[in-house]
Amino acid sequence: MTITQAMPPGVVTSLGRRFTLSAQALDSSVTPNPVFRDWFAEQRRTNRYDVRRIPFAELVGWHFEDGSGNLVHDSGRFFSVEGLRVRTEWGGHGASWSQPIINQPEVGILGIVVKEFNGVLHCLMQAKMEPGNLDTVQLSPTVQATRSNYTGVHKGAPVHYIDYFKPPRVGSRVLFDSLQSEQGSWFLRKRNRNMVVEALGEVPEHEDFVWLTLGQIHQLLYENNVINMDARTVLSLIPTFADEGPSLHTTEHVLSWLTEVKATRELVQSSLPLAGVQGWERTDHEIRHSDGHHFSVIAASVSAANREVQRWTQPLLAPAEQGLAAFVVRRIGGVPHLLAQARSEAGVLDVAELGPTVQCQPGRALALPPERQPRYLDMVLSAPKSRMLYDTVQSEEGGRFHHAGNRYALVEVGDEFPVDVPEDFVWVTAGQLAGLLKHGNYLNIEARTLLTSLRAAWALGGAYAL
C-alpha cells in the first residue's frame, strides 16, 4: 500500500488563492518574459527534427495484421488502429457507421510540477517536439508519457521528472489527480491520468524545461500553437479563486440531467477488423474516407534530437480540416454561465460527456442539410469580434494526430439569447465544471481546453483581483 503525504493544515482552503496569485503574476523574476521568449525561440530553432510522410510499407516496427488488417506495433504495445462499428439513436433519430479508431488502452501520465518561488507558484513546463504538432515544438506538461514510455518499452532514455508522479512520490505532494478522456471521435475509450503535484524540495534543472507562472501561461494561451493539448487539459484542473454567485441549476440537477441522457440515449460500439470498415479505402499511403471528409490515417518518419527515442516511424491520424469548438457564454442573474452540450462520440467511454456548445468540422457540417447542421453553428461563425472573449487556433495531440488544429472560441451573448435551451443543452458555471473535473469522464477534452481559456480570459481581464 502506498501512503501519500497529507497536506499541511490550511493548504486545501488556500490552494485556490495560491493559484490566483500565480494567475495575477504576468511576469516572473525566475523566468522573465524576454528570457522565456529567447529560450523558446532557441528551442524551436535548434532542436533538430524531421517529419515526413512515408508509405505504409516503410513503417518500421509496425505492420498490418493478416486477416484483420489492423495496424499494430510489433511489440503489441503503444497503440493500434482498428475498426469500430457504431449505432446511435436518440430524439427519434438513429444512425450507424463504421470507422478506423485508435485503440490505446493503457493509461498515461500528464502531469505538471509546481513550486513556489518568492511566494508565487510556478509551473514547470517542457519544450516538447511532437511529430504531428503545428509548429512542431510546443510547451507541454512536465511529464507527458504513455505507460509504455515511462516503463521503458520504447527502450529510450528515462522520462525526466517521472518520479514526482509515480509512487512513492517522496519528493512531491499531490494537489490534483483524476482520469480524463481524450478525443472520443478518434480514440476508443481513451483516458490519461491528469496530475498536478507540488515539489517539496529543490528540483533539478534541465535545459528543455522552464518555470512559468500561471499568468505567463495564460498570456501564451492567446497565441496559436504554443501551449499543447496535454498542458491545457492538466491546467483545467487548477482552480482559481472567484466568487461566482448562484448558478441557474444546482450541480445535482446537472448530474441528473447528464445521467438521464446516458440512460436514454443508445450508443452501441462494436469492434471490428480494420479491413471491415465500410466507406473507407486503403492505398499505399493512407486510409481515407470515400467522401474526403472526417480524417485519414497516414504513416510518418520522425527524427528528433531531444526525445527519449531519436528516430522512429509511426501511424498518425490526419483530420480533413480545421475543427471548431466554441462555448456560448451568457450572464444569468449576473453570473457567467456556459452553454454545454451532452455530446456523444464514437469512442466515448460512457455514452456522453459535457462538450462545448458547438463542436464540429465546419466544412463538413455546412455541407449537411440545414436540419442536420449543429445547433448554434451559424451564430458562432457570424459572431463579431466584439463578442469574442477568446478566439485562438490550438493544436491537438501531436503524438497521435497530424496537424490537427481546432479554432477555440468563447462567444459572449446578451439577454437576447434565451435561457430556455433544447433538451441536449444545459447552462453551467465555470465553478460547476471545475467541480466535475475532480472526477473523470464528465467533460470532454475540447470543453477542458475552453475552461482553461476562459480562466485565462478572466484572469487577464482582472476578474480574479483579490
Side-chain angles (χ1 to χ4, degrees):
M1 182 172 109
T2 300
I3 300 176
T4 56
Q5 299 191 23
M7 292 188 186
V11 167
V12 175
T13 56
S14 67
L15 200 51
R17 286 183 177 270
R18 295 176 72 203
F19 278 111
T20 296
L21 288 171
S22 183
Q24 291 175 320
L26 305 184
D27 207 341
S28 167
S29 60
V30 179
T31 312
N33 289 330
V35 172
F36 166 77
R37 290 294 181 184
D38 290 343
W39 172 84
F40 193 56
E42 185 70 9
Q43 288 282 337
R44 283 187 162 176
R45 182 169 56 250
T46 63
N47 283 327
R48 298 185 304 278
Y49 59 83
D50 178 62
V51 181
R52 59 184 180 88
R53 292 182 60 163
I54 58 174
F56 289 125
E58 293 183 15
L59 283 170
V60 178
W62 297 82
H63 66 278
F64 288 100
E65 283 185 328
D66 293 337
S68 71
N70 292 346
L71 184 52
V72 300
H73 193 263
D74 294 350
S75 69
R77 302 289 292 274
F78 297 104
F79 65 94
S80 57
V81 182
E82 305 174 2
L84 184 71
R85 181 179 291 112
V86 184
R87 187 179 77 250
T88 65
E89 185 173 346
W90 66 81
H93 301 283
S96 61
W97 70 92
S98 61
Q99 65 170 84
I101 201 158
I102 298 173
N103 187 3
Q104 187 175 347
E106 64 182 29
V107 175
I109 292 178
L110 309 177
I112 294 177
V113 172
V114 299
K115 182 175 172 58
E116 202 168 279
F117 296 94
N118 302 321
V120 178
L121 283 171
H122 287 62
C123 302
L124 185 58
M125 308 298 289
Q126 178 184 182
K128 190 174 184 67
M129 173 270 179
E130 295 287 353
N133 276 354
L134 293 162
D135 297 326
T136 309
V137 174
Q138 297 186 13
L139 286 182
S140 81
T142 317
V143 166
Q144 176 184 321
T146 65
R147 182 172 177 81
S148 293
N149 287 144
Y150 70 77
T151 58
V153 172
H154 61 0
K155 298 180 181 179
V159 175
H160 295 294
Y161 305 109
I162 188 64
D163 289 340
Y164 287 91
F165 300 91
K166 293 191 331 181
R169 290 187 287 269
V170 294
S172 64
R173 172 173 56 236
V174 176
L175 303 183
F176 307 104
D177 189 0
S178 62
L179 290 174
Q180 298 295 338
S181 62
E182 303 215 352
Q183 285 83 355
S185 294
W186 300 336
F187 277 118
L188 180 61
R189 307 181 190 122
K190 177 74 174 77
R191 298 190 296 172
N192 271 323
R193 190 175 184 181
N194 288 216
M195 302 179 71
V196 179
V197 303
E198 184 172 9
L200 299 177
E202 294 299 317
V203 178
E205 295 183 358
H206 189 283
E207 61 185 1
D208 294 335
F209 293 75
V210 66
W211 291 104
L212 297 174
T213 68
L214 203 52
Q216 289 176 297
I217 295 170
H218 283 162
Q219 293 173 94
L220 294 171
L221 279 165
Y222 276 80
E223 301 181 23
N224 295 345
N225 307 316
V226 174
I227 307 296
N228 81 354
M229 182 200 82
D230 300 290
R232 299 192 306 267
T233 180
V234 178
L235 290 166
S236 73
L237 303 183
I238 296 177
T240 41
F241 182 81
D243 184 11
E244 290 188 315
S247 58
L248 178 64
H249 303 295
T250 65
T251 299
E252 290 73 20
H253 172 87
V254 174
L255 288 172
S256 178
W257 169 83
L258 186 58
T259 301
E260 179 79 12
V261 168
K262 293 180 180 181
T264 55
R265 281 189 184 180
E266 183 178 74
L267 176 68
V268 180
Q269 304 156 321
S270 306
S271 294
L272 78 159
L274 182 59
V277 296
Q278 301 296 308
W280 296 76
E281 57 186 10
R282 177 177 139 192
T283 70
D284 291 341
H285 289 81
E286 64 180 344
I287 301 168
R288 64 192 178 200
H289 195 269
S290 56
D291 66 9
H293 290 306
H294 308 291
F295 61 86
S296 59
V297 179
I298 64 172
S301 173
V302 187
S303 61
N306 67 337
R307 287 292 299 261
E308 294 87 4
V309 175
Q310 295 187 358
R311 185 178 300 275
W312 72 95
T313 64
Q314 68 169 92
L316 289 169
L317 186 152
E321 62 173 299
Q322 179 179 288
L324 170 67
F327 264 129
V328 167
V329 184
R330 184 196 191 280
R331 288 185 176 271
I332 303 174
V335 177
H337 284 67
L338 297 92
L339 184 56
Q341 174 189 177
R343 183 167 175 82
S344 298
E345 298 177 298
V348 71
L349 179 67
D350 189 16
V351 183
E353 295 179 311
L354 293 176
T357 316
V358 175
Q359 181 183 327
C360 65
Q361 291 183 333
R364 176 176 177 269
L366 292 172
L368 296 171
E371 66 275 9
R372 293 180 55 200
Q373 293 180 12
R375 195 181 295 268
Y376 306 117
L377 174 60
D378 284 345
M379 189 207 71
V380 169
L381 291 177
S382 62
K385 288 185 178 180
S386 60
R387 291 284 191 177
M388 291 294 183
L389 296 174
Y390 182 85
D391 190 4
T392 310
V393 174
Q394 302 289 358
S395 288
E396 301 307 317
E397 169 61 77
R400 297 293 176 266
F401 311 136
H402 183 260
H403 291 180
N406 274 326
R407 178 192 174 195
Y408 283 98
L410 295 166
V411 184
E412 189 171 30
V413 296
D415 292 344
E416 78 284 352
F417 194 97
V419 172
D420 293 332
V421 293
E423 61 181 1
D424 291 345
F425 294 82
V426 67
W427 292 106
V428 290
T429 67
Q432 288 177 311
L433 294 182
L436 294 176
L437 281 177
K438 296 176 182 177
H439 314 281
N441 299 102
Y442 280 123
L443 273 69
N444 74 6
I445 197 160
E446 291 82 5
R448 299 198 302 273
T449 279
L450 284 168
L451 179 59
T452 299
S453 305
L454 180 65
R455 288 176 178 151
W458 284 349
L460 296 178
Y464 290 144
L466 293 174

